[in-house]
């Protein structure tokens, strides 16, 4: 279940090169993010992402 809809997606060239090294399609990563799976982030970042959904 998606928690929110993504808006316009933009990335810097550096971000693109890092994500390309993951060997995972960017669409899969964005799908996970929309569902509240923020990946390998600190507890503080996880909490802040979740709190941002309430705004």
């Amino acid at each position: 279940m998606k928690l929110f809809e993504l808006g316009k997606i933009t990335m810097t060239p550096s971000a693109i090169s890092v994500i390309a090294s993951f060997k995972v399609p960017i669409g899969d990563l964005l799908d996970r993010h929309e569902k509240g799976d923020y990946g390998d982030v600190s507890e503080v970042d996880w909490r802040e992402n979740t709190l941002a959904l309430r705004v």
Side-chain angles (χ1 to χ4, degrees):
M1 175 180 83
K2 290 183 182 182
L3 300 177
F4 60 94
E5 292 295 324
L6 296 175
K8 182 178 180 179
I9 300 166
T10 60
M11 290 191 289
T12 64
S14 295
I16 292 169
S17 67
V18 169
I19 290 170
S21 73
F22 294 163
K23 308 276 190 269
V24 177
I26 185 64
D28 291 354
L29 298 173
L30 293 172
D31 286 344
R32 286 176 51 190
H33 189 74
E34 285 179 305
K35 294 174 183 172
D37 179 353
Y38 307 122
D40 187 16
V41 297
S42 70
E43 184 178 331
V44 171
D45 286 342
W46 190 284
R47 190 175 330 117
E48 290 298 318
N49 283 339
T50 302
L51 287 172
L53 294 173
R54 297 184 187 155
V55 175

